[in-house]
PDB file of all heavy atoms in Angstrom:
ATOM      1  N   ARG A 161      -9.200  -7.998 -13.754  1.00  0.00           N
ATOM      2  CA  ARG A 161      -9.585  -9.346 -14.175  1.00  0.00           C
ATOM      3  C   ARG A 161      -8.452 -10.057 -14.891  1.00  0.00           C
ATOM      4  O   ARG A 161      -8.220 -11.240 -14.678  1.00  0.00           O
ATOM      5  CB  ARG A 161     -10.791  -9.291 -15.106  1.00  0.00           C
ATOM      6  CG  ARG A 161     -12.081  -9.088 -14.388  1.00  0.00           C
ATOM      7  CD  ARG A 161     -13.185  -9.873 -15.088  1.00  0.00           C
ATOM      8  NE  ARG A 161     -14.459  -9.537 -14.473  1.00  0.00           N
ATOM      9  CZ  ARG A 161     -15.319  -8.687 -14.996  1.00  0.00           C
ATOM     10  NH1 ARG A 161     -15.052  -8.103 -16.146  1.00  0.00           N
ATOM     11  NH2 ARG A 161     -16.442  -8.422 -14.383  1.00  0.00           N
ATOM     12  N   GLU A 164      -5.820 -11.044 -12.381  1.00  0.00           N
ATOM     13  CA  GLU A 164      -6.266 -12.194 -11.577  1.00  0.00           C
ATOM     14  C   GLU A 164      -6.331 -13.464 -12.409  1.00  0.00           C
ATOM     15  O   GLU A 164      -6.121 -14.557 -11.885  1.00  0.00           O
ATOM     16  CB  GLU A 164      -7.616 -11.890 -10.940  1.00  0.00           C
ATOM     17  CG  GLU A 164      -7.475 -10.873  -9.822  1.00  0.00           C
ATOM     18  CD  GLU A 164      -8.323 -11.192  -8.621  1.00  0.00           C
ATOM     19  OE1 GLU A 164      -9.517 -11.412  -8.828  1.00  0.00           O
ATOM     20  OE2 GLU A 164      -7.788 -11.218  -7.500  1.00  0.00           O
ATOM     21  N   ARG A 166      -4.220 -14.296 -14.706  1.00  0.00           N
ATOM     22  CA  ARG A 166      -2.846 -14.811 -14.701  1.00  0.00           C
ATOM     23  C   ARG A 166      -2.518 -15.448 -13.368  1.00  0.00           C
ATOM     24  O   ARG A 166      -1.877 -16.500 -13.301  1.00  0.00           O
ATOM     25  CB  ARG A 166      -1.849 -13.675 -14.970  1.00  0.00           C
ATOM     26  CG  ARG A 166      -1.892 -13.149 -16.383  1.00  0.00           C
ATOM     27  CD  ARG A 166      -0.655 -12.318 -16.655  1.00  0.00           C
ATOM     28  NE  ARG A 166       0.198 -13.006 -17.591  1.00  0.00           N
ATOM     29  CZ  ARG A 166       0.575 -12.491 -18.782  1.00  0.00           C
ATOM     30  NH1 ARG A 166       0.198 -11.285 -19.132  1.00  0.00           N
ATOM     31  NH2 ARG A 166       1.350 -13.170 -19.578  1.00  0.00           N
ATOM     32  N   SER A 168      -4.637 -16.789 -11.231  1.00  0.00           N
ATOM     33  CA  SER A 168      -5.381 -18.044 -11.116  1.00  0.00           C
ATOM     34  C   SER A 168      -4.723 -19.161 -11.907  1.00  0.00           C
ATOM     35  O   SER A 168      -4.827 -20.326 -11.552  1.00  0.00           O
ATOM     36  CB  SER A 168      -6.802 -17.868 -11.649  1.00  0.00           C
ATOM     37  OG  SER A 168      -7.460 -16.871 -10.933  1.00  0.00           O
ATOM     38  N   GLY A 170      -1.624 -19.570 -12.218  1.00  0.00           N
ATOM     39  CA  GLY A 170      -0.351 -19.962 -11.626  1.00  0.00           C
ATOM     40  C   GLY A 170       0.810 -19.026 -11.888  1.00  0.00           C
ATOM     41  O   GLY A 170       1.965 -19.440 -11.802  1.00  0.00           O
ATOM     42  N   ARG A 255       1.583 -14.492  -0.686  1.00  0.00           N
ATOM     43  CA  ARG A 255       0.940 -15.630  -1.345  1.00  0.00           C
ATOM     44  C   ARG A 255       0.549 -15.298  -2.781  1.00  0.00           C
ATOM     45  O   ARG A 255      -0.261 -16.003  -3.395  1.00  0.00           O
ATOM     46  CB  ARG A 255      -0.302 -16.069  -0.555  1.00  0.00           C
ATOM     47  CG  ARG A 255       0.000 -16.762   0.757  1.00  0.00           C
ATOM     48  CD  ARG A 255       0.708 -18.099   0.590  1.00  0.00           C
ATOM     49  NE  ARG A 255      -0.150 -19.160   0.053  1.00  0.00           N
ATOM     50  CZ  ARG A 255       0.301 -20.375  -0.256  1.00  0.00           C
ATOM     51  NH1 ARG A 255       1.585 -20.673  -0.114  1.00  0.00           N
ATOM     52  NH2 ARG A 255      -0.513 -21.279  -0.744  1.00  0.00           N
ATOM     53  N   ARG A 257      -1.310 -12.970  -3.975  1.00  0.00           N
ATOM     54  CA  ARG A 257      -2.678 -12.499  -4.226  1.00  0.00           C
ATOM     55  C   ARG A 257      -2.658 -11.034  -4.609  1.00  0.00           C
ATOM     56  O   ARG A 257      -1.821 -10.273  -4.142  1.00  0.00           O
ATOM     57  CB  ARG A 257      -3.530 -12.618  -2.963  1.00  0.00           C
ATOM     58  CG  ARG A 257      -3.531 -13.964  -2.313  1.00  0.00           C
ATOM     59  CD  ARG A 257      -4.224 -13.807  -0.955  1.00  0.00           C
ATOM     60  NE  ARG A 257      -4.192 -15.034  -0.206  1.00  0.00           N
ATOM     61  CZ  ARG A 257      -3.757 -15.114   1.054  1.00  0.00           C
ATOM     62  NH1 ARG A 257      -3.295 -14.047   1.679  1.00  0.00           N
ATOM     63  NH2 ARG A 257      -3.775 -16.258   1.674  1.00  0.00           N
TER      64      ARG A 257
ATOM     65  N   ARG B  43     -12.921 -18.240  -4.192  1.00  0.00           N
ATOM     66  CA  ARG B  43     -11.662 -17.476  -4.202  1.00  0.00           C
ATOM     67  C   ARG B  43     -10.793 -17.825  -3.000  1.00  0.00           C
ATOM     68  O   ARG B  43      -9.562 -17.863  -3.102  1.00  0.00           O
ATOM     69  CB  ARG B  43     -11.950 -15.981  -4.249  1.00  0.00           C
ATOM     70  CG  ARG B  43     -12.561 -15.518  -5.583  1.00  0.00           C
ATOM     71  CD  ARG B  43     -12.927 -14.036  -5.521  1.00  0.00           C
ATOM     72  NE  ARG B  43     -11.767 -13.224  -5.206  1.00  0.00           N
ATOM     73  CZ  ARG B  43     -10.946 -12.715  -6.125  1.00  0.00           C
ATOM     74  NH1 ARG B  43     -11.186 -12.911  -7.406  1.00  0.00           N
ATOM     75  NH2 ARG B  43      -9.906 -12.012  -5.760  1.00  0.00           N
ATOM     76  N   ASP B  47      -7.087 -19.628  -2.733  1.00  0.00           N
ATOM     77  CA  ASP B  47      -6.119 -18.750  -2.069  1.00  0.00           C
ATOM     78  C   ASP B  47      -5.933 -17.437  -2.839  1.00  0.00           C
ATOM     79  O   ASP B  47      -4.840 -16.889  -2.915  1.00  0.00           O
ATOM     80  CB  ASP B  47      -4.758 -19.451  -1.906  1.00  0.00           C
ATOM     81  CG  ASP B  47      -3.941 -18.824  -0.766  1.00  0.00           C
ATOM     82  OD1 ASP B  47      -4.486 -17.968  -0.050  1.00  0.00           O
ATOM     83  OD2 ASP B  47      -2.764 -19.199  -0.609  1.00  0.00           O
ATOM     84  N   GLN B  62      -2.492 -25.717   2.344  1.00  0.00           N
ATOM     85  CA  GLN B  62      -2.323 -24.627   1.377  1.00  0.00           C
ATOM     86  C   GLN B  62      -0.966 -23.923   1.554  1.00  0.00           C
ATOM     87  O   GLN B  62      -0.245 -23.681   0.590  1.00  0.00           O
ATOM     88  CB  GLN B  62      -3.439 -23.613   1.629  1.00  0.00           C
ATOM     89  CG  GLN B  62      -3.955 -22.914   0.422  1.00  0.00           C
ATOM     90  CD  GLN B  62      -5.190 -22.104   0.788  1.00  0.00           C
ATOM     91  OE1 GLN B  62      -5.263 -21.489   1.847  1.00  0.00           O
ATOM     92  NE2 GLN B  62      -6.163 -22.105  -0.092  1.00  0.00           N
ATOM     93  N   ILE B  65       2.320 -25.473   0.227  1.00  0.00           N
ATOM     94  CA  ILE B  65       2.543 -25.540  -1.220  1.00  0.00           C
ATOM     95  C   ILE B  65       2.735 -24.124  -1.739  1.00  0.00           C
ATOM     96  O   ILE B  65       2.033 -23.209  -1.303  1.00  0.00           O
ATOM     97  CB  ILE B  65       1.335 -26.207  -1.913  1.00  0.00           C
ATOM     98  CG1 ILE B  65       1.172 -27.637  -1.382  1.00  0.00           C
ATOM     99  CG2 ILE B  65       1.492 -26.212  -3.422  1.00  0.00           C
ATOM    100  CD1 ILE B  65       0.029 -28.400  -2.001  1.00  0.00           C
ATOM    101  N   ALA B  67       2.302 -20.824  -3.631  1.00  0.00           N
ATOM    102  CA  ALA B  67       0.999 -20.280  -4.037  1.00  0.00           C
ATOM    103  C   ALA B  67       0.687 -20.552  -5.501  1.00  0.00           C
ATOM    104  O   ALA B  67      -0.423 -20.953  -5.848  1.00  0.00           O
ATOM    105  CB  ALA B  67       0.960 -18.775  -3.757  1.00  0.00           C
ATOM    106  N   ARG B  71      -2.504 -22.849  -7.007  1.00  0.00           N
ATOM    107  CA  ARG B  71      -3.564 -22.349  -7.898  1.00  0.00           C
ATOM    108  C   ARG B  71      -3.608 -23.114  -9.211  1.00  0.00           C
ATOM    109  O   ARG B  71      -4.635 -23.129  -9.881  1.00  0.00           O
ATOM    110  CB  ARG B  71      -3.382 -20.863  -8.146  1.00  0.00           C
ATOM    111  CG  ARG B  71      -3.634 -20.069  -6.900  1.00  0.00           C
ATOM    112  CD  ARG B  71      -3.672 -18.594  -7.146  1.00  0.00           C
ATOM    113  NE  ARG B  71      -3.532 -17.942  -5.858  1.00  0.00           N
ATOM    114  CZ  ARG B  71      -2.459 -17.301  -5.466  1.00  0.00           C
ATOM    115  NH1 ARG B  71      -1.433 -17.168  -6.279  1.00  0.00           N
ATOM    116  NH2 ARG B  71      -2.382 -16.798  -4.249  1.00  0.00           N
ATOM    117  N   ARG B  72      -2.479 -23.704  -9.609  1.00  0.00           N
ATOM    118  CA  ARG B  72      -2.531 -24.538 -10.814  1.00  0.00           C
ATOM    119  C   ARG B  72      -3.245 -25.854 -10.525  1.00  0.00           C
ATOM    120  O   ARG B  72      -3.862 -26.438 -11.400  1.00  0.00           O
ATOM    121  CB  ARG B  72      -1.113 -24.806 -11.345  1.00  0.00           C
ATOM    122  CG  ARG B  72      -0.637 -23.746 -12.334  1.00  0.00           C
ATOM    123  CD  ARG B  72       0.560 -24.213 -13.107  1.00  0.00           C
ATOM    124  NE  ARG B  72       1.736 -24.352 -12.242  1.00  0.00           N
ATOM    125  CZ  ARG B  72       2.633 -23.389 -12.065  1.00  0.00           C
ATOM    126  NH1 ARG B  72       2.500 -22.246 -12.696  1.00  0.00           N
ATOM    127  NH2 ARG B  72       3.659 -23.564 -11.274  1.00  0.00           N
TER     128      ARG B  72
END
Side-chain angles (χ1 to χ4, degrees):
Chain A
R161 282 216 187 101
E164 288 221 308
R166 290 195 111 121
S168 301
R255 288 295 288 175
R257 308 170 184 128
Chain B
R43 292 175 58 90
D47 203 7
Q62 214 171 39
I65 299 181
R71 292 189 196 108
R72 271 196 293 267

